[in-house]
């Protein structure tokens, strides 16, 4: 390798080790604060403004965003009760399948309208004597209820019901359903129960949003597609917001470590450039770690932990211990490189003003104006630039730098 490449490889190696530390700290913070789960809940809050529907969604067995007993879709609760439920301790759920979200929203929004539109019809069919006739009618009724299918097929089938009392009762109920559909202004092929449910949503904002999302749907399948698109758009925005938060967190953590243990990119680069033996040693260490796969494993493990779901209970404690051990190991690896990392405080009052030790950026003594009146400002500015370069580089993440050094080494 040329000297320049060795310096680059050495610098990137240091940044990768620091980036892994930053990632592990981010992981600890995200798990401790349930950052992913809170981000998801914030996204759901932006979608579902109605507190009652939100509480039913939060506690649904398929979602369980909060630790609380499930509130059934048809259960009546007050606004105060719903808001209290939504404030329950958050659970470690950081992802919801779009199809699951749509299923729960549809079930919740349609619960009362299904009962109002089709409750009597279901009760009559359930009261019929067991047999093929009842089973067939049940299938048709469920097709109407769940899929918003045409009631014409159901009405035609009533002609074949043998018991005149049931036939008359069912025909009368279907006529009432058709009248209700007409009052809703929905065609026979539309998802009428869903439209009716949307009209019953108490919150104006959510009602208007759902009406807009569903306005172009001709049937239940299209309605589901529109709702999934609505949900996915919100999740994309939430993902972007979470990434931005993690980037800010990375900058803060990298700044803390860079300042605390004095990881100065400019000083390290200068040291590597001026010391061929140390440059070759660190470059060789980086190359070996890369080619052996050890560095790639460390980067992958740290990145996987950051992307993993929030842990709970004993698993959370175990993961925290593992992350803490990884941080200690990475800091030990940084120290083992024997680079100018870390601070010192040594009085240089007995040395002449032009002595090279008075320009040592690792000695805090040099940054006191009374100790170094002619050079402390330039030393401080250079130090700030070096620290800033370290922070920006480390915040890019270990995978980013690993890809770069991998390409450089394998050329």
């Amino acid at each position: 390798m040329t000297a320049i490449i060795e310096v680059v490889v050495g610098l990137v190696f240091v940044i990768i080790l620091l980036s892994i530390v930053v990632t592990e700290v981010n992981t600890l913070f995200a798990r401790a604060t349930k950052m992913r789960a809170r981000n998801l809940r914030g996204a759901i809050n932006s979608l579902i403004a109605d507190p009652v529907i939100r509480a039913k969604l939060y506690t649904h067995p398929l979602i369980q965003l909060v630790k609380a007993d499930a509130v059934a879709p048809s259960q009546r609760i007050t606004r105060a009760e719903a808001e209290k439920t939504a404030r329950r301790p958050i659970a470690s759920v950081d992802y919801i399948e779009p199809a699951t979200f749509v299923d729960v929203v549809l079930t919740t929004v349609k619960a009362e309208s299904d009962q109002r539109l089709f409750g009597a019809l279901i009760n009559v069919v359930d009261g019929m004597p067991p047999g093929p006739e009842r089973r067939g009618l049940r299938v048709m009724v469920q097709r109407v209820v769940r899929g918003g299918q045409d009631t014409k097929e159901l009405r035609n089938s009533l002609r074949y019901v043998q018991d005149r009392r049931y036939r008359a009762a069912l025909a009368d109920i279907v006529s009432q359903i058709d009248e209700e559909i007409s009052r809703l202004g929905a065609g026979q092929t539309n998802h009428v129960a869903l439209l009716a449910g949307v009209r019953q949503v108490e919150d104006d904002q959510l009602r208007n949003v759902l009406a807009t999302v569903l306005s172009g749907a001709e049937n239940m399948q299209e309605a589901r597609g529109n709702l999934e698109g609505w949900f996915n758009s919100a999740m994309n925005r939430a993902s972007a917001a979470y990434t931005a938060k993690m980037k800010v967190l990375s900058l803060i953590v990298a700044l803390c470590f860079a300042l605390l243990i004095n990881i100065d990119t400019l000083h390290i680069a200068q040291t590597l450039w001026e010391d061929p033996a140390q440059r070759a040693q660190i470059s060789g260490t980086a190359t070996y770690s890369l080619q052996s796969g050890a560095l790639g494993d460390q980067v992958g493990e740290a990145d996987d932990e950051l992307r993993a779901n929030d842990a709970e209970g004993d698993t959370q404690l175990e993961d925290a211990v593992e992350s803490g051990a990884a941080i200690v190991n990475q800091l030990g690896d940084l120290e083992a490189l024997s680079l100018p990392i870390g601070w010192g405080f040594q009085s240089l009052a007995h040395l002449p003003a032009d002595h090279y030790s008075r320009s040592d950026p690792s000695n805090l003594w040099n940054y006191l104006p009374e100790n170094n009146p002619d050079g402390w400002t330039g030393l401080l500015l250079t130090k700030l630039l070096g620290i800033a370069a370290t922070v920006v580089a480390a915040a890019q993440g270990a995978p980013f730098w690993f890809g770069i050094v991998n390409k450089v080494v394998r050329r």
Side-chain angles (χ1 to χ4, degrees), residues 12-251:
V12 172
F13 186 54
V14 171
I15 294 301
I16 288 175
L17 295 180
L18 177 60
S19 296
I20 293 174
V21 172
V22 171
T23 300
E24 294 289 355
V25 173
N26 288 354
T27 300
L28 282 173
F29 181 83
R31 283 177 175 156
T33 61
K34 297 185 183 294
M35 195 169 175
R36 284 183 180 275
R38 293 181 186 280
N39 187 69
L40 175 62
R41 185 169 68 172
I44 298 299
N45 288 349
S46 68
L47 289 175
I48 308 297
D50 189 293
V52 174
I53 295 178
R54 185 188 298 166
K56 294 177 179 180
L57 186 96
Y58 279 0
T59 61
H60 194 281
L62 294 178
I63 293 181
Q64 293 181 324
L65 273 176
V66 296
K67 298 176 181 178
D69 294 333
V71 181
S74 57
Q75 184 176 340
R76 295 292 185 91
I77 60 173
T78 65
R79 186 184 185 93
E81 291 173 333
E83 291 176 345
K84 182 179 179 180
T85 298
R87 290 194 299 268
R88 296 278 295 174
I90 192 168
S92 297
V93 176
D94 60 10
Y95 177 75
I96 301 174
E97 287 283 351
T100 300
F101 174 82
V102 170
D103 285 339
V104 175
V105 169
L106 289 178
T107 301
T108 303
V109 172
K110 288 170 75 263
E112 290 191 17
S113 59
D114 277 347
Q115 182 61 33
R116 185 165 62 86
L117 279 174
F118 308 113
L121 183 64
I122 295 172
N123 291 337
V124 172
V125 173
D126 287 344
M128 294 177 65
E133 189 174 72
R134 187 174 73 171
R135 288 196 297 271
L137 285 173
R138 272 182 172 173
V139 171
M140 291 184 184
V141 169
Q142 289 304 318
R143 197 179 300 161
V144 172
V145 173
R146 294 178 182 175
Q149 299 296 316
D150 196 339
T151 58
K152 184 178 180 180
E153 180 184 3
L154 176 60
R155 180 184 292 278
N156 291 336
S157 67
L158 297 181
R159 292 181 295 177
Y160 304 100
V161 175
Q162 296 181 359
D163 191 311
R164 184 170 52 186
R165 292 172 303 169
Y166 287 114
R167 184 170 63 247
L170 290 171
D172 183 56
I173 294 172
V174 171
S175 296
Q176 294 176 17
I177 292 174
D178 289 342
E179 290 177 6
E180 181 66 21
I181 291 173
S182 297
R183 282 197 294 270
L184 289 171
Q188 279 283 358
T189 58
N190 280 347
H191 38 294
V192 291
L194 178 57
L195 295 178
V198 168
R199 293 191 178 191
Q200 293 174 0
V201 173
E202 293 185 4
D203 184 84
D204 293 339
Q205 178 183 343
L206 179 60
R207 184 172 62 252
N208 292 335
V209 168
L210 288 176
T212 302
V213 170
L214 299 172
S215 60
E218 295 292 336
N219 50 51
M220 187 62 75
Q221 184 177 0
E222 290 185 12
R224 291 183 62 88
N226 290 354
L227 287 173
E228 283 196 24
W230 175 54
F231 176 75
N232 287 332
S233 295
M235 291 303 103
N236 289 337
R237 293 192 298 271
S239 179
Y242 182 80
T243 300
K245 291 177 184 176
M246 293 306 295
K247 182 67 72 174
V248 172
L249 180 61
S250 295
L251 288 169

Side-chain angles (χ1 to χ4, degrees), residues 309-377:
N309 293 342
D310 291 329
E312 285 201 50
D314 295 336
T315 303
Q316 186 177 26
L317 179 60
E318 292 173 3
D319 289 342
V321 171
E322 290 180 2
S323 294
I327 292 170
V328 173
N329 290 337
Q330 297 304 323
L331 292 176
D333 289 343
L334 281 169
E335 184 180 7
L337 296 176
S338 300
L339 287 168
I341 293 175
W343 295 103
F345 189 89
Q346 182 181 1
S347 175
L348 305 176
H350 61 286
L351 297 177
D354 58 348
H355 195 276
Y356 69 89
S357 295
R358 290 186 177 273
S359 61
D360 180 8
S362 298
N363 189 359
L364 289 171
W365 190 90
N366 288 321
Y367 293 94
L368 299 176
E370 61 271 21
N371 297 335
N372 188 15
D374 297 328
W376 75 273
T377 52

